[in-house]
Amino acid sequence: MIEANAVSLTFQTADGPVHALKDVDLSIGAGEFVSFIGPSGCGKTTFLRTIAALESPTGGALTVNGMSPDEARRARAYGYVFQAPGLYPWRTIAGNISLPLEIMGFGKADRAERVRRVLELVDLEGFGGKFPWQLSGGMQQRASIARALAFDADILLMDEPFGALDEIVRDRLNEALLELWRKTGKTIGFVTHSIPEAVYLSTRIVVMSPRPGRITRIIDSPLPAERPLDIRDTPEFIALAHEVREGLREGHGDDI
Amino acid sequence: MRNLLPILTVLLAIVAIWYVAAIGMNSTWARDQAARAETRLSAGDLVIQTLTLERPVLPAPHQVAAGLWEGIAGQKITSKRSLVWHGWITLSATLTGFAIGSLAGILLAVGIVHDRAMDQSVMPWAVASQTVPILAIAPMVIVVFASAGITGLLPKAVIAAWLSFFPVLVGMVKGLRTPDRMQLDLMRSWSASRPQMFWRLRLPSSLPYLFASLKVGIAAALVGTIVGELPAGASAGLGARLLSGSYYGQTVQIWAALFAAAALAAGLVIAVGRIEAVTLRRMGLAR
Ligand SMILES: Nc1ncnc2c1ncn2[C@@H]1O[C@H](COP(=O)(O)OP(=O)(O)OP(=O)(O)O)[C@@H](O)[C@H]1O
Ligand SMILES: [Mg+2]
C-alpha cells in the first residue's frame, strides 16, 4: 500500500537546512492501522504530507498503491483529516461533505447518496442541514472525517485529528474510529501525541525522534482486533504503553 | 427603540448648537444693516433677523429644511431647480462609476492574488493613484473627455471609479488571501484546479471583506462624482448645485445640496449593507 524507502526531506530555511525526515523506511500494508508518535518536530506531519503529495521528498523513494504520491492523489487514493475540522462556514455539513465530490465531478444523485452514507458512518444522521457552528467540536471533527471518507479512498491519513478535543469526547471518537476502521477495512495513518491513544487504536506503532526526523522503533501490537475501552486496564495494554514510552525516551537521548 | 433616545439627544444638541452658531455668525451682518438703516435693534429683533436672512453666512436649520423641502417637493422633478433631478444625475454617474471601479478593483485583486508579477507591480501604482489629489485630476479628466466630444455622465463616472476601485482592491486582496494553509491543502488533497479553488474557496471567503470595502467604495464614488461636477461648465448634479450656490451666495441652496448629498451617501451605504446582510445570511455566514 505505502512503501517508503530511505525517504528524506530537507527544508531549506533562512537558518540553514532542516532535516525533517532522514532515511525513513516503512511499509504499510492494506488494512493496517499505523500510528505515528514522537516529540514535537520529529517529522510526523511531514511524513504524512509526503504520502499525500503535499510535500515532495528530497531523497529516497515513496510509493502509494504502487504509484507515485502525486498519481495516487489524482487517483483519489487517500482522504486527509487535519487537526482542525476546516469546514467551510458558508456550507452546511452536507454541503461540506459533498465539496470534494463536486470537485471530483460526482453526479448530483451520487453525491446525495454518498453524503447520506458517510453521515451514517460517523453517526451524524440528521445533521446534514446544519451549519458547522451549530455543531460541537467533536461533531465537527466527525463531519470532517466523513468528508474524507465520502469519495471512497482506501487510505485515511489523520494528523492529530482529536488533538484539540477533551478526553471524554476523544475516548468516544477513538471508539467510533476503531469501529469505522473495522467496518470499512481502510488503511489508516494516524498521528498522535498520546501514548494511550496510539496503543488503543493501532495495529502498529511507529515511534519517531527529531533532529533529524527518523523512525527509532516500530512496535507491533499484540492486542486483539476487538477492543472495548476497558482494554486499557489490561496488563497487555499497559506493557505495550510502557514499551512505547521506552521507545520515546531512547529516541530522545539525554534531552529529558 | 432603546437606541432612539441617545440618537435624538445628540440630534437635538447638534440643532441647538447650530442655532446658536447661526445667530452668532449672522449677527454682524444684521447689525450692519440696521446701522445703515439707522435703526436700533432689540435683542429679540436681532435673533429673528439673524435666523431669517435671505443670504445668511450660516443658514439656520429650519431654513435649510425649507430649502430641502422646496428643492425636493416644491418642483416638478424634471425641473432644473429640483434636487431630485440633480440627485438623479449624480446618482446615475455614481452608480456607473462604482460599477466600473469595483469591477476593476475585483479583477485587479484576482490578478494580484494569482500572479506574482502583478502582485509586485500593481499595488504601488494603485497606491500612487490615490495620492494624487482628486481635485487636480478631476478637471483634467473632464477636459480630456470634452475634447473628445464626451461630456455628461461618463467623465464623472471615470472620476468616481478612480476613487472607488482602491478600497475594493485592498479589501478584495485581503479577502482572497484569508483561506489558511490548511484550507488550501485540503483543496490540494482533492486535486482541485485553480478555478475550483477560486470559486469554491477564495471567493466565498472574501465576501465579508468585499462588502466592507464596497461600502467605503460607494461613498468614495459619490465624492468622486460630486468633485467631477464642480469644474465650471457642469450645470447638472448636486456638485453643480453646490457650485452655483456659492457663485450667487445662495448659502441655503449650498446647504440643501450638501444635505441631499449626505442623505444620498447614507442611502447608498445602507443599500449595500442590506445586500450584504441578505447575502451573508443566505450563505450562513451571519450568526
Ligand atoms: N514548510 C516547512 N518549512 C521549513 N521547515 C519545516 C516546514 N514544515 C516543517 N518544517 C520543520 O520540519 C520539522 C518537522 O516538522 P513536522 O511538522 O513534521 O513535525 P511534527 O512531528 O508534526 O511536530 P508536531 O508534533 O509539533 O506537529 C520541524 O523542525 C519543522 O520546523
Ligand atoms: Mg504535526
Side-chain angles (χ1 to χ4, degrees), chain B residues 3 31 47 51 107 112 115 135 152 182 189 200 224 241 247 266:
Chain B
N3 300 332
R31 277 211 200 86
V47 169
L51 297 182
L107 290 180
I112 284 178
D115 187 84
L135 276 171
M182 189 191 75
S189 82
R200 285 165 211 270
R241 198 72 185 145
Y247 274 158

Side-chain angles (χ1 to χ4, degrees), chain A residues 49 73 86 88 90 102-103, chain B residues 181 185 196 200 204-205 283:
Chain A
R49 289 173 63 85
R73 172 169 80 195
Y88 291 2
W90 58 86
E102 287 168 28
I103 286 173
Chain B
R181 177 168 145 169
D185 279 346
Q196 283 174 329
R200 285 165 211 270
S205 316
M283 289 175 67

Side-chain angles (χ1 to χ4, degrees), chain A residues 7-69:
Chain A
V7 166
S8 298
L9 202 164
T10 308
F11 290 108
Q12 300 299 340
T13 68
D15 321 322
V18 175
H19 300 283
L21 293 175
K22 184 147 172 49
D23 293 332
V24 172
D25 289 308
L26 185 69
S27 147
I28 301 176
E32 274 198 83
F33 195 129
V34 177
S35 285
F36 298 86
I37 193 166
S40 195
C42 69
K44 306 181 293 290
T45 296
T46 306
F47 188 55
L48 230 55
R49 289 173 63 85
T50 36
I51 298 175
L54 294 172
E55 310 278 0
S56 325
T58 48
L62 181 63
T63 61
V64 178
N65 287 349
M67 297 172 268
S68 78

Side-chain angles (χ1 to χ4, degrees), chain B residues 92-137:
Chain B
S92 54
T94 300
L95 290 180
T96 311
F98 175 64
I100 299 170
S102 28
L103 195 69
I106 291 170
L107 290 180
L108 280 174
V110 172
I112 284 178
V113 170
H114 283 93
D115 187 84
R116 268 186 70 81
M118 272 188 83
D119 183 17
Q120 283 162 4
S121 59
V122 172
M123 246 335 172
W125 287 104
V127 173
S129 78
Q130 301 301 301
T131 57
V132 182
I134 191 67
L135 276 171
I137 291 282

Side-chain angles (χ1 to χ4, degrees), chain A residues 86-100:
Chain A
L87 300 168
Y88 291 2
W90 58 86
R91 281 179 174 245
T92 60
I93 296 303
N96 268 286
I97 295 173
S98 82
L99 177 65

Side-chain angles (χ1 to χ4, degrees), chain A residues 49 53-55 73-74 78 80 82 84-86 88-91 99-100 102-104 131 133 147 151, chain B residues 181-183 185-193 196 200-202 204-205 281-287:
Chain A
R49 289 173 63 85
L54 294 172
E55 310 278 0
R73 172 169 80 195
R74 263 173 275 130
Y78 69 86
Y80 204 107
F82 291 86
Y88 291 2
W90 58 86
R91 281 179 174 245
L99 177 65
E102 287 168 28
I103 286 173
M104 293 169 183
F131 281 101
W133 52 272
R147 180 180 57 189
F151 45 94
Chain B
R181 177 168 145 169
M182 189 191 75
Q183 289 182 310
D185 279 346
L186 259 177
M187 277 286 184
R188 281 175 60 202
S189 82
W190 303 324
S191 309
S193 65
Q196 283 174 329
R200 285 165 211 270
L201 175 59
R202 288 194 191 273
S205 316
R281 197 171 51 236
R282 284 252 175 92
M283 289 175 67
L285 284 176
R287 306 273 151 104

